[in-house]
Amino acid sequence: MNLDLAKGDEAREWLAELDGGSTWRDALERHLLRIELVRAERTMQLLKEGRGAYVVHLLGPGEPGARRRAWVVGNALSGTLVVLDRLGFDVTAFAPDTTRARVAAHRDRVLGSGRATFRTLDELPGTGDGQAPDVAIVEGPLPREHGSTARLARELASRGARQVVVVVDNRFAYKRSTGVRADLRVQSPWRFAANALFGRDRSIRGWRRVVGGGRATRAAAPYPHRWDYSLVVGLDGRGPNLFLGPGERTNRAKMLAHRLGLFPLLAPSFAVASPPSEPSFQEHWLARLEELVDEAPGRVDHFVATRGSNVLLMTSGRRAGGRWVVRFPMGPDQERQTRRHGAHLERLERLDLPAPRLLFQGRVDGVFLQVERRLDGINAAQLVDERDRQERTLPGCSRLLARLRTTEPVPLAETELERLVVARAELVARRAGREETAAALRTIGRECADALRGVAVPRVLLHGDMRAKHVAVAPDGEVLGLLDAGCARERDLPYFDLLNLVLHDRKDDAGSDLGSAWREALAHALPEPMERALDDHAARLDLPRVYTDAMRAAYPIFVGHSAESCWDYSRPRWIHRQLGI
């Protein structure tokens, strides 16, 4: 599989824009628009800071106050570099060629400290020259001319690297990612057998031998696959554990394999380090946070690597204390959102609304962390029976979101419409990546502003990213609280939050897309429980029909603005691809 971020002229054009003064975001967005969509998706997967989540489990902080040296070999633009920088390492990255090394240096000046060093793979130092790093990470893909990951890992150990880490595929993997977000392919029996018998990759035992060379190792599975993962699962009997929600528990084959202890054998990919760091970053943070929060945190039950590039360490303490979610934002944009999330948790607590309670926010040995009380239950996306979501979760969300009202109904003035509708339409249009889409968005914005002029509605504390995964529920779908308020905004327009939740639920239930769900909403043809929940929400907030109809029509503007306000760059033509505009 070719996962090159940029090749030949593409990389040179990208670099020329950056050298010419373009911002990192603008140059990246134009690069993503120039290349075919599949390669753009793969590029975004490789660039995101979330690729470095595994280092929190495998690496540790070292001596207090000491900055250690880390090498990343194979992909200088990997988001892992940003994470290592935030954890206090001095980073050197080895890229396939000079052009990509220089592109990576531009990225480091924006998202990192600007102190990283970038070289080519041909410039890897030799043995005995005193340049050996504390940590050497091989995170491909490696160009063929530079040999195998196994050979390079052994060479790095021989060159004096104190700790070697590889991020690799499993010979016995039952599925793999294509490199495109959420596109995971289960191997056919024939392909599985061929890989098992003749594949070039190794099993977990084989990779431990390669990396350890007789030394102790620590291993984890970036699950469901190293190109596209949302969990880090420990493979050394000490956690974190594989999360098995209601959906997974209905899969008899998966549950049987889990009970037989086959996960380490069949996991799609591994991250293996030798020797182990004692303690790891996650263990060190929990020990320090116990002092700061004055509460024993328990052990890490689940390790989540979010799509938004945050590490969530979910602990399973007992009784009243110790059930925490520890957040480590892996990039500067994520830190800003995490701070916003903490501020809104405090506001929700003052309003006596069900949400996690903020316990700590600040720097621990130079690393920004946030701790909140972990809610019971699961998130609504894990409910197996869609009737539970429609009959319990949606009505519960209608009631809960109505309590976010912050004013009585007040007519919408021209200045508010300009700020909350027209300006948002313009922002999304500028980032649309397609002239026809941009023109349609501006038209929708003008029509919405005209329809809402003088209409009296209350203002609300807007969650901004209401989807099923951001609603905590009991196993029967009863709502327990709101999660992840990093996109929240004060004194905003009502109705969007519940509409966004409904449309994403409809998309998932129907196996369709967001555009199809939106067009059903325009025709008031959503399934009856969804229409009933939206009507109930409108009644609770005193929203007239002219208002709710205008908000349904203008949904692309508001969902687009929510995304563009929270993302650190725009995805190529995503409004057109998602909504068909």
Side-chain angles (χ1 to χ4, degrees):
M1 182 189 302
N2 183 2
L3 291 175
D4 277 350
L5 289 169
K7 298 181 291 188
D9 292 341
E10 295 169 356
R12 286 189 286 273
E13 190 170 359
W14 192 0
L15 177 61
E17 288 192 11
L18 290 165
D19 286 345
S22 290
T23 66
W24 169 255
R25 172 172 181 161
D26 288 345
L28 172 59
E29 288 176 352
R30 285 193 288 269
H31 173 69
L32 294 174
L33 285 170
R34 279 193 296 268
I35 61 180
E36 62 190 35
L37 181 59
V38 169
R39 290 188 55 231
E41 291 278 351
R42 291 173 176 172
T43 298
M44 290 187 287
Q45 285 291 98
L46 289 164
L47 282 169
K48 70 176 185 176
E49 294 90 327
R51 284 188 59 77
Y54 64 86
V55 304
V56 173
H57 178 73
L58 294 182
L59 306 186
E63 294 298 320
R67 286 187 70 90
R68 292 174 297 153
R69 289 186 295 173
W71 289 358
V72 178
V73 182
N75 176 19
L77 278 162
S78 168
T80 301
L81 274 71
V82 180
V83 179
L84 290 169
D85 181 84
R86 291 177 69 79
L87 292 174
F89 287 90
D90 290 322
V91 181
T92 300
F94 295 89
D97 56 59
T98 303
T99 300
R100 276 176 280 191
R102 289 174 60 194
V103 171
H106 279 282
R107 197 270 297 273
D108 179 61
R109 287 192 283 271
V110 175
L111 300 184
S113 64
R115 291 192 297 261
T117 301
F118 296 91
R119 301 179 180 177
T120 67
L121 286 169
D122 294 328
E123 297 176 286
L124 267 172
T127 305
D129 56 9
Q131 297 187 55
D134 296 283
V135 178
I137 298 175
V138 185
E139 185 186 293
L142 292 174
R144 289 184 180 276
E145 61 268 24
H146 289 276
S148 70
T149 298
R151 182 183 64 79
L152 185 54
R154 292 190 183 102
E155 284 187 8
L156 289 167
S158 72
R159 295 178 190 192
R162 294 176 180 84
Q163 189 175 29
V164 177
V165 182
V166 296
V167 188
V168 287
D169 285 337
N170 177 16
R171 182 172 186 167
F172 300 105
Y174 75 97
K175 66 180 174 182
R176 284 189 179 152
S177 169
T178 65
V180 174
R181 176 175 167 174
D183 187 7
L184 295 145
R185 307 289 174 87
V186 175
Q187 308 252 47
S188 71
W190 299 112
R191 173 60 63 183
F192 177 85
N195 286 338
L197 292 172
F198 309 113
R200 298 173 60 188
D201 294 317
R202 289 168 167 78
S203 67
I204 183 61
R205 183 177 297 178
W207 283 117
R208 286 187 191 274
R209 284 198 298 267
V210 166
V211 178
R215 302 181 299 178
T217 61
R218 178 177 289 184
Y223 189 78
H225 184 261
R226 66 188 178 112
W227 296 123
D228 182 11
Y229 68 93
S230 55
L231 299 170
V232 173
V233 183
L235 300 178
D236 301 294
R238 55 195 290 177
N241 304 317
L242 178 65
F243 181 82
L244 294 169
E248 288 87 351
R249 293 181 188 279
T250 64
N251 186 323
R252 293 182 179 180
K254 180 177 285 190
M255 291 306 299
L256 176 62
H258 178 66
R259 284 193 290 269
L260 293 174
L262 297 180
F263 180 76
L265 176 66
L266 301 174
S269 53
F270 307 119
V272 185
S274 181
S277 292
E278 300 290 353
S280 66
F281 277 106
Q282 67 184 38
E283 292 164 338
H284 173 72
W285 291 342
L286 290 181
R288 291 282 287 114
L289 288 167
E290 181 174 356
E291 302 170 3
L292 295 166
V293 178
D294 194 22
E295 178 178 298
R299 63 186 293 276
V300 175
D301 191 12
H302 302 300
F303 183 124
V304 179
T306 72
R307 296 292 188 190
S309 292
N310 290 279
V311 164
L312 305 184
L313 302 176
M314 306 179 75
T315 71
S316 55
R318 297 176 180 177
R319 299 197 182 103
R323 284 182 55 80
W324 294 355
V325 176
V326 180
R327 292 175 179 265
F328 164 54
M330 288 180 275
D333 286 307
Q334 288 74 36
E335 180 175 332
R336 285 188 283 273
Q337 269 188 240
T338 300
R339 289 181 181 277
R340 190 186 309 141
H341 167 74
H344 282 90
L345 287 187
E346 292 179 327
R347 291 185 180 92
L348 291 172
E349 184 177 5
R350 289 195 297 270
L351 293 170
D352 195 28
L353 291 170
R357 179 188 166 205
L358 185 65
L359 301 177
F360 172 82
Q361 177 174 280
R363 298 203 175 274
V364 175
D365 300 331
V367 178
F368 179 83
L369 299 174
Q370 189 181 83
V371 185
E372 63 195 53
R373 178 77 67 215
R374 181 180 172 187
L375 293 183
D376 292 329
I378 56 178
N379 70 62
Q382 294 157 351
L383 290 170
V384 176
D385 192 338
E386 68 182 65
R387 292 173 299 180
D388 290 338
R389 292 202 307 275
Q390 292 186 357
E391 300 299 332
R392 288 180 177 269
T393 304
L394 286 181
C397 287
S398 171
R399 294 189 294 270
L400 180 56
L401 292 172
R403 294 172 60 190
L404 296 180
R405 176 202 294 242
T406 57
T407 74
E408 292 303 310
V410 179
L412 284 160
E414 194 68 42
T415 53
E416 271 191 304
L417 291 172
E418 179 64 31
R419 176 172 58 87
L420 297 177
V421 179
V422 177
R424 288 176 174 177
E426 181 59 31
L427 170 65
V428 181
R430 287 200 308 270
R431 298 290 182 182
R434 187 171 178 270
E435 290 183 5
E436 297 89 341
T437 303
L441 289 167
R442 292 185 176 105
T443 298
I444 291 172
R446 288 193 300 270
E447 290 175 348
C448 180
D450 289 342
L452 296 185
R453 192 168 288 107
V455 176
V457 295
R459 310 303 186 264
V460 298
L461 173 61
L462 193 77
H463 180 280
D465 191 22
M466 276 298 295
R467 288 175 286 165
K469 67 178 182 178
H470 294 155
V471 182
V473 297
D476 65 356
E478 195 69 31
V479 174
L480 301 176
L482 298 178
L483 304 172
D484 294 318
C487 295
R489 294 186 291 275
E490 295 279 358
R491 199 178 171 83
D492 215 306
L493 297 174
Y495 196 72
F496 168 71
D497 273 340
L498 188 64
L499 179 63
N500 195 48
L501 174 64
V502 163
L503 295 188
H504 278 86
D505 267 9
R506 177 56 180 160
K507 167 182 70 79
D508 295 340
D509 290 345
S512 61
D513 54 49
L514 197 57
S516 298
W518 173 51
R519 282 181 279 278
E520 285 185 278
L522 286 176
H524 289 266
L526 293 166
E528 192 273 335
M530 294 181 171
E531 291 288 355
R532 187 169 65 242
L534 288 167
D535 289 344
D536 174 76
H537 190 59
R540 290 176 182 275
L541 289 171
D542 303 313
L543 305 178
R545 175 67 178 262
V546 64
Y547 177 84
T548 58
D549 281 352
M551 290 296 288
R552 291 190 188 212
Y555 173 75
I557 290 172
F558 297 107
V559 73
H561 175 260
S562 184
E564 295 294 352
S565 299
C566 297
W567 290 347
D568 45 1
Y569 62 88
S570 301
R571 283 46 170 169
R573 303 182 184 91
W574 74 274
I575 284 283
H576 172 65
R577 291 187 288 113
Q578 292 291 321
L579 295 166
I581 298 176

